[in-house]
Amino acid sequence: MARMYRVLGFFTLTIGLMAFAGNHIEMALLFFLQTAFFVIFGYLKFTERTYILLFWGYMIVAFTGFSYWTIFQMGLPL
């Protein structure tokens, strides 16, 4: 399970580098921060249950943030 967090770190690093190359600095910094967390969590040797709970927490925060941004910051087209 720890390897999966390192894989997630690799993919978020890739997305962050593409965002940086596309001049989306805020998005790139967000993905670089996620990369750091995933790689650190990947080397901490938690139990499988802890890794699953961490991932659920991450998904709740990510989807809540995405929903907030798309509804309240981008606005709904009427």
Side-chain angles (χ1 to χ4, degrees):
M1 193 60 135
R3 279 191 190 164
M4 201 62 227
Y5 273 80
R6 286 179 248 160
V7 170
L8 286 169
F10 169 76
F11 283 119
T12 54
L13 176 65
T14 304
I15 293 169
L17 289 173
M18 287 189 292
F20 190 71
N23 207 19
H24 297 283
I25 305 301
E26 294 87 2
M27 179 181 166
L29 292 176
L30 178 67
F31 275 89
F32 291 150
L33 181 69
Q34 290 179 42
T35 300
F37 280 121
F38 282 141
V39 171
I40 289 169
F41 285 154
Y43 285 105
L44 286 180
K45 307 285 188 207
F46 287 136
T47 63
E48 186 170 348
R49 179 180 177 164
T50 304
Y51 279 121
I52 290 176
L53 290 174
L54 279 170
F55 188 70
W56 271 101
Y58 167 75
M59 294 307 288
I60 289 170
V61 169
F63 284 128
T64 303
F66 178 77
S67 298
Y68 169 79
W69 188 263
T70 55
I71 294 170
F72 297 111
Q73 297 297 321
M74 292 177 66
L76 295 174
L78 298 175

